[in-house]
Amino acid sequence: MKKLILLFLGVGLTLFSNVPIVKINITAPSYIEIINATIYDSIIESGKFKLYLQEELKKLYQELRLQDLLSNKNFILKESKQPIINFDVVIKNLQIKEEKTKKDYIVNNESGDYIRVGEKYIKVQKGIYYSYDVNTSRYIPSKEGYYIKGYDGKFYTFNNFYTKFSHEEIVYKVSGKVSYNLFGYANGSFSFSKEIKKRWYEWNETLLKPLKKENSQIEILKYIASVIKSKLLENIKNSYRVEGIIYDLKKGRVILNIGKNDGVLPGTVFTIAENKGQIVIRNVENNYSEAEFYYLKKHSKIEIGDQVVEDSKNIFIPISLGIYYTSNGLKFSLGLRQRDVYNDKKAFLVVDYLPNTQNYIITLGYNIFDFYELKTYLLLSNDFSIGGMIKYDLFDLMFNYSLQNRAFNFGGGFSW
């Protein structure tokens, strides 16, 4: 497949014929449009925010598994040797609110002598740890202990130590909405919110005092751009799906006409057209890949030329439920099952409960062969019985012979 080349801010990369160009267009708010902003007017209006966001979006092509988006749109390739794809990003309702918080303690895991318990700070004996002795119901000093003793005489577990230091922290609470459109192939919108530190304090053990830390306004803008880029990456990844066709079928294996060059990785799941089933990639080469069946819809016919689309793997709950009426009365069944490619029971291990006798029986079943739509199972139970089961869809017929009681037992019912 031809590689996708991105063009940012009018800076061109080496171009080849018929290679699409992606041009990123960003619409970001001016200073006037930012509600309760504390960022300087000059930074926003100079276009630096757009520049930082542009720089972050340059990284998208490195992190996205991009296929040639026009591979299935050959009519566009014919119109232009270098078709331009617009990637439009619009930032709306950007709000940057400053919030100040008064704090009386600071994290100091080196020499702090307070711990936090709920909303309270407790002064403790730093450096002396305790373990709890179950036999004596006492706390014993131990280097490997998880407890520490407070000056109130109580023992506590802890995460951090603190030093009492009255200070004020300032954060920016940033929120906004982003709309994006990548050539109509991937489009949508999302909201984002993030708390970014502006000014805070960190303990310096060398100087034995707290030091003020502060993010510059430029760093904050860069961070906002990074957050937007990460959310865009996440959303576009969810929108982007690799497509291909079945090139060949060989002994239960499926050969696709797409590979590494198209972003296919081992473990990638594809759904076959018309929901005929799903396949999982096992081996990948540059221009083709080999997959095995994960799920097939009954009576579906997989053919060469069927389209496949990247998808999420179907989830099948491995629980087996059943209700039967047998020679011994009513029976309820609950356990685990192993499925086959058609999502039918291949094997199961269940606990059967018989209300009449209030007995529990553990039964193991294994599919031994199929006859058209009928599936047959061998049954082994812990009450020294052996038997069989015939299953058609949800309906079951079963029998077993108890070696202990030397008696046959018949029954039928429904199971999943």
Side-chain angles (χ1 to χ4, degrees):
M1 306 290 289
K2 301 178 182 67
K3 292 183 178 179
L4 185 66
I5 293 182
L6 305 181
L7 183 67
F8 301 96
L9 292 175
V11 178
L13 302 177
T14 306
L15 301 178
F16 302 93
S17 61
N18 285 353
V19 175
I21 300 169
V22 171
K23 185 177 180 181
I24 293 181
N25 306 304
I26 296 176
T27 303
S30 66
Y31 175 76
I32 302 301
E33 297 173 287
I34 298 178
I35 302 174
N36 295 326
T38 55
I39 305 297
Y40 289 152
D41 187 353
S42 59
I43 294 179
I44 299 294
E45 289 194 334
S46 66
K48 286 187 178 180
F49 177 59
K50 291 184 182 181
L51 178 62
Y52 298 143
L53 184 55
Q54 197 87 30
E55 290 295 323
E56 286 297 324
L57 295 183
K58 284 184 183 181
K59 302 173 186 176
L60 279 176
Y61 81 97
Q62 296 172 341
E63 300 182 41
L64 281 171
R65 295 182 298 148
L66 287 175
Q67 181 188 16
D68 180 347
L69 299 181
L70 301 183
S71 59
N72 296 319
K73 302 177 177 63
N74 293 325
F75 64 92
I76 295 182
L77 289 177
K78 294 175 183 177
E79 295 176 4
S80 172
K81 290 186 177 181
Q82 293 176 345
I84 295 178
I85 299 175
N86 284 314
F87 182 15
D88 298 314
V89 179
V90 180
I91 316 296
K92 295 181 179 179
N93 302 329
L94 181 61
Q95 299 185 46
I96 306 176
K97 297 180 180 179
E98 183 179 284
E99 186 174 288
K100 298 178 181 180
T101 305
K102 184 73 175 177
K103 295 190 175 183
D104 290 324
Y105 294 84
I106 186 172
V107 174
N108 173 13
N109 286 313
E110 298 294 332
S111 55
D113 54 1
Y114 287 86
I115 62 170
R116 184 175 178 177
V117 181
E119 295 300 318
K120 293 183 178 180
Y121 289 88
I122 310 293
K123 192 170 185 179
V124 296
Q125 300 171 353
K126 180 71 187 294
I128 305 175
Y129 300 94
Y130 296 82
S131 293
Y132 182 72
D133 190 330
V134 179
N135 296 323
T136 62
S137 299
R138 297 176 62 186
Y139 291 92
I140 301 172
S142 170
K143 291 182 179 179
E144 287 76 33
Y146 293 101
Y147 297 89
I148 198 159
K149 188 177 182 179
Y151 279 95
D152 58 0
K154 297 180 181 179
F155 292 88
Y156 302 94
T157 57
F158 64 96
N159 292 318
N160 290 308
F161 289 101
Y162 295 82
T163 291
K164 191 167 185 179
F165 168 66
S166 297
H167 63 288
E168 186 179 68
E169 287 190 357
I170 303 176
V171 298
Y172 285 129
K173 291 195 171 180
V174 181
S175 62
K177 185 174 182 179
V178 178
S179 300
Y180 64 93
N181 183 8
L182 178 58
F183 188 60
Y185 187 87
N187 59 79
S189 63
F190 60 86
S191 297
F192 68 93
S193 61
K194 198 74 175 178
E195 188 174 281
I196 305 170
K197 287 184 178 181
K198 179 189 177 184
R199 191 183 72 196
W200 68 102
Y201 290 83
E202 291 183 1
W203 182 263
N204 186 295
E205 186 64 15
T206 303
L207 300 177
L208 293 178
K209 68 176 185 179
L211 293 182
K212 184 170 70 174
K213 301 285 185 177
E214 191 164 4
N215 273 327
S216 70
Q217 292 159 341
I218 291 178
E219 288 172 328
I220 291 169
L221 288 179
K222 287 183 177 179
Y223 191 80
I224 297 172
S226 176
V227 169
I228 293 173
K229 171 255 181 178
S230 297
K231 290 284 289 184
L232 270 172
L233 174 63
E234 178 185 333
N235 278 263
I236 293 175
K237 271 187 174 180
N238 292 335
S239 301
Y240 176 73
R241 295 184 177 185
V242 179
E243 299 180 6
I245 63 170
I246 295 178
Y247 179 76
D248 201 1
L249 296 166
K250 293 183 178 179
K251 297 180 180 179
R253 290 272 173 159
V254 181
I255 310 300
L256 303 182
N257 70 332
I258 49 178
K260 291 180 183 177
N261 293 343
D262 309 294
V264 179
L265 298 172
T268 304
V269 176
F270 287 88
T271 294
I272 304 171
E274 301 175 5
N275 288 319
K276 293 180 181 179
Q278 288 192 320
I279 55 177
V280 181
I281 301 299
R282 295 305 179 204
N283 300 307
V284 183
E285 299 297 335
N286 289 335
N287 297 311
Y288 71 93
S289 52
E290 185 180 7
E292 64 182 18
F293 289 108
Y294 170 71
Y295 165 69
L296 282 176
K297 185 188 292 185
K298 286 184 179 179
H299 312 300
S300 63
K301 186 178 180 182
I302 309 301
E303 298 178 315
I304 293 174
D306 280 349
Q307 284 193 325
V308 296
V309 180
E310 184 181 3
D311 205 350
S312 299
K313 183 181 287 187
N314 288 344
I315 297 175
F316 299 102
I317 301 174
I319 301 297
S320 178
L321 300 172
I323 180 170
Y324 305 96
Y325 191 81
T326 71
S327 304
N328 294 328
L330 197 63
K331 181 172 75 171
F332 298 97
S333 176
L334 172 65
L336 300 174
R337 71 185 185 107
Q338 181 186 26
R339 70 175 190 88
D340 61 15
V341 73
Y342 297 102
N343 197 31
D344 286 331
K345 288 182 181 178
K346 182 178 181 181
F348 56 89
L349 180 66
V350 297
V351 176
D352 299 322
Y353 173 65
L354 291 79
N356 287 353
T357 61
Q358 295 188 347
N359 287 335
Y360 291 92
I361 300 172
I362 299 175
T363 301
L364 172 67
Y366 187 79
N367 178 223
I368 49 178
F369 69 89
D370 299 337
F371 183 73
Y372 292 98
E373 297 296 313
L374 301 177
K375 302 180 77 68
T376 62
Y377 298 83
L378 175 66
L379 304 179
L380 298 172
S381 302
N382 67 336
D383 64 344
F384 301 101
S385 65
I386 183 171
M389 182 174 77
I390 299 174
K391 185 175 185 63
Y392 176 78
D393 202 9
L394 297 178
F395 182 69
D396 303 342
L397 286 175
M398 62 177 63
F399 69 92
N400 62 45
Y401 177 73
S402 174
L403 300 176
Q404 191 175 38
N405 301 326
R406 297 185 179 181
F408 282 98
N409 181 31
F410 299 90
F414 301 90
S415 74
W416 175 84

